[in-house]
């Protein structure tokens, strides 16, 4: 943790759950949204119950921040545990479109899905978004472990991935965070501003006739 929680600041947590074969790590980043600083990081090999507890506790400590969990096979189990613990601010999207939807709204939408889906379709998009953030110096990284992962993150058969015997868990979690920050949250904020402007432009005129 490089910075303590500031109640005046908005945060985003992005988690990637290990596959369960013991080779990968379960990780998460805590990102300060205003400045895109990665002010917190976790990497370890806890069991699912322990990782769900760590995520739930940390998310609440950082103001019930929006939590994005990759919904791979074990990620679904983590999401179910977080929902069972009633974590109030999980990332949901419309299935097949990756359009962000608020957790409260998601409960009434049949085709909503918890978590972020990394697939052959979305992986190039999130990696490209991360590259854009880094190239334009829009993100601040303090973690030496993340830097070490970048050194072994390569193109292999037209796929961005870690070199053999190395890891890319922190890198891919960051890529998801960059994508969510720049697309889902930005679009959602713009839609809210449109709705506020529309409501603000409405006027009520009332005239009483003497009859």
């Amino acid at each position: 943790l490089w910075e303590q929680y500031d109640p005046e600041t908005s945060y985003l947590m992005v988690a990637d759950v290990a596959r369960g074969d013991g080779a990968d790590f379960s990780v998460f980043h805590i990102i300060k949204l205003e400045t895109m600083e990665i002010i917190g990081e976790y990497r370890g090999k806890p069991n699912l119950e322990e990782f769900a507890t760590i995520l739930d506790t940390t998310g609440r400590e950082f103001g019930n921040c929006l939590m994005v969990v990759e919904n791979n096979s074990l990620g679904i189990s983590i999401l179910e545990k977080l929902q069972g613990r009633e974590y109030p601010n999980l990332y949901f999207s419309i299935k097949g479109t990756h359009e962000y939807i608020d957790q409260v709204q998601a409960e009434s939408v049949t085709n909503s899905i918890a978590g972020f889906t990394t697939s052959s379709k979305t992986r190039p998009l999130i990696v490209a978004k991360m590259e854009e953030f880094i190239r334009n110096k829009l993100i601040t990284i303090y973690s030496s472990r993340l830097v070490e992962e970048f050194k072994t993150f390569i193109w292999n058969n037209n796929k961005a991935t870690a070199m053999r015997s190395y890891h890319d868990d922190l890198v891919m979690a960051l890529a998801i965070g960059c994508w969510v920050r720049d697309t889902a949250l930005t679009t959602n904020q713009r839609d809210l501003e449109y709705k506020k402007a529309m409501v603000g432009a409405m006027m009520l005129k009332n005239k009483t006739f003497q009859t």
Side-chain angles (χ1 to χ4, degrees):
L1 192 64
W2 289 276
E3 188 176 297
Q4 297 298 323
Y5 168 64
D6 179 0
E8 301 297 319
T9 300
S10 298
Y11 297 93
L12 172 70
M13 279 182 63
V14 189
D16 185 8
V17 186
R19 292 174 303 188
D21 58 7
D24 287 339
F25 291 92
S26 289
V27 304
F28 68 79
H29 295 292
I30 306 171
I31 302 172
K32 187 195 288 190
L33 287 175
E34 284 84 354
T35 59
M36 283 304 290
E37 292 176 80
I38 306 173
I39 57 98
E41 173 191 282
Y42 173 84
R43 184 173 75 168
K45 296 184 179 181
N47 61 43
L48 294 180
E49 194 65 43
E50 290 171 339
F51 194 45
T53 300
I54 294 168
L55 289 173
D56 180 59
T57 303
T58 307
R60 294 179 189 275
E61 285 179 2
F62 279 81
N64 294 331
C65 61
L66 178 64
M67 188 178 299
V68 185
V69 180
E70 186 185 6
N71 55 11
N72 57 19
S73 56
L74 294 177
I76 293 173
S77 178
I78 291 291
L79 286 161
E80 289 174 349
K81 292 180 185 299
L82 288 170
Q83 288 174 294
R85 295 166 181 264
E86 298 183 347
Y87 187 79
N89 198 6
L90 290 173
Y91 176 91
F92 279 78
S93 62
I94 303 297
K95 195 171 184 178
T97 67
H98 298 287
E99 178 187 343
Y100 170 64
I101 183 171
D102 181 81
Q103 183 172 347
V104 176
Q105 292 176 297
E107 293 175 359
S108 58
V109 177
T110 55
N111 62 337
S112 65
I113 181 171
F116 183 88
T117 306
T118 303
S119 63
S120 58
K121 180 181 176 181
T122 60
R123 189 182 178 96
L125 298 176
I126 64 175
V127 170
K129 184 59 65 178
M130 176 179 64
E131 185 274 335
E132 179 186 325
F133 266 80
I134 294 171
R135 174 166 40 83
N136 292 312
K137 299 179 180 178
L138 300 176
I139 193 162
T140 303
I141 297 169
Y142 301 115
S143 167
S144 59
R145 293 188 297 190
L146 176 55
V147 171
E148 288 303 311
E149 284 195 10
F150 272 125
K151 290 178 181 178
T152 55
F153 192 67
I154 62 169
W155 285 103
N156 186 11
N157 294 326
N158 293 321
K159 179 183 178 182
T161 186
M163 292 170 60
R164 188 187 297 272
S165 302
Y166 290 92
H167 301 280
D168 61 4
D169 310 292
L170 289 168
V171 171
M172 292 308 300
L174 176 59
I176 294 172
C178 291
W179 193 90
V180 169
R181 169 65 180 85
D182 199 52
T183 57
L185 295 185
T186 302
T187 302
N188 190 57
Q189 183 63 32
R190 189 165 58 240
D191 289 344
L192 286 173
E193 289 171 357
Y194 284 158
K195 289 174 183 175
K196 286 179 183 177
M198 190 179 295
V199 170
M202 291 179 181
M203 293 185 296
L204 175 64
K205 289 189 177 181
N206 189 11
K207 186 159 185 157
T208 304
F209 292 94
Q210 297 295 330
T211 62

